[in-house]
Amino acid sequence: MLLSLLLSLALAGDRPTERVPSPGRDASSGEADPPVERLATPSRRSPDDRDGWKGLPWGAAPLTDMVCNADSVAQRCTRPDGSDLLVGDLVLNNVTYWFFQDQLYMVLLGTEEHSVAFELLAGLKAAYGPGFQDNQYIEKYFWHGQKVQVLYEEQKVTGSATVLYSYGPIQARVGAAQKAAAQQRSNDL
């Protein structure tokens, strides 16, 4: 199960193979063994290497099959068919897409299963490194790219966890819009 998750989160696609010459010779024929194919060694990636989620890139509009609910600034959408709930062989409880002015800027993954949370954290660490942890006693990790930030947070009591991918260029505009909306509400009071 962990191997499948690592392949899904850390590698984001097929790894290239390389042909490696065999170091030995076939003793019976006296000829060199044929080259052997092996998987190239994966390297850690930056969160910036992730372009959205499940084929929906950052900045894209909601898909036509999504069910969306708008708040004062952004809209939250889900896919009713649940096709985005699989990460490797793990099943998530929910995936929520956040849009601002019809542009994807955030994806929230959620699970209620402790075993799934454990596997998600292991996959994130394999993909992006150990992450930054403010407090060693709280299961909350951050990974920062130039444009994409990742947050993992686990609730020890319930075993639930969330993973948040956020696209900074649009997230900054969302923050400004939220601030303006809050100011307008305070003016209205």
Side-chain angles (χ1 to χ4, degrees):
M1 179 154 48
L2 180 59
L3 178 60
S4 177
L5 172 69
L6 292 176
L7 290 174
S8 295
L9 282 177
L11 303 178
D14 293 332
R15 288 186 287 178
T17 59
E18 58 181 297
R19 294 183 63 80
V20 180
S22 176
R25 292 189 172 270
D26 183 342
S28 64
S29 69
E31 296 178 17
D33 294 334
V36 177
E37 287 195 10
R38 69 174 183 189
L39 291 176
T41 304
S43 60
R44 289 199 177 134
R45 300 179 308 135
S46 163
D48 292 336
D49 293 339
R50 175 163 286 286
D51 185 24
W53 184 256
K54 299 284 184 172
L56 190 62
W58 301 121
L63 300 174
T64 57
D65 68 338
M66 289 184 160
V67 176
C68 300
N69 298 308
D71 63 22
S72 63
V73 174
Q75 58 183 336
R76 296 177 310 278
C77 301
T78 58
R79 297 183 80 179
D81 66 0
S83 62
D84 55 355
L85 295 178
L86 287 176
V87 177
D89 58 353
L90 300 177
V91 179
L92 302 172
N93 289 87
N94 60 66
V95 176
T96 306
Y97 300 83
W98 290 75
F99 295 86
F100 175 70
Q101 297 176 340
D102 283 335
Q103 294 182 311
L104 178 66
Y105 75 94
M106 192 164 56
V107 178
L108 178 71
L109 315 177
T111 182
E112 302 297 323
E113 303 278 337
H114 178 70
S115 61
V116 174
F118 177 80
E119 298 281 344
L120 284 172
L121 180 57
L124 289 166
K125 287 180 175 182
Y128 307 121
F132 174 76
Q133 189 178 19
D134 281 336
N135 183 328
Q136 67 180 355
Y137 302 107
I138 298 174
E139 293 295 319
K140 187 174 186 178
Y141 297 84
F142 302 92
W143 293 268
H144 300 283
Q146 295 295 315
K147 294 181 180 179
V148 178
Q149 292 76 43
V150 181
L151 164 69
Y152 170 91
E153 187 169 15
E154 184 179 324
Q155 301 300 319
K156 284 289 192 185
V157 174
T158 63
S160 64
T162 56
V163 176
L164 178 79
Y165 288 92
S166 176
Y167 184 62
I170 299 173
Q171 179 70 47
R173 295 188 356 238
V174 172
Q178 288 172 330
K179 188 174 183 178
Q183 181 62 45
Q184 182 60 46
R185 283 190 296 275
S186 70
N187 291 344
D188 292 344
L189 296 176

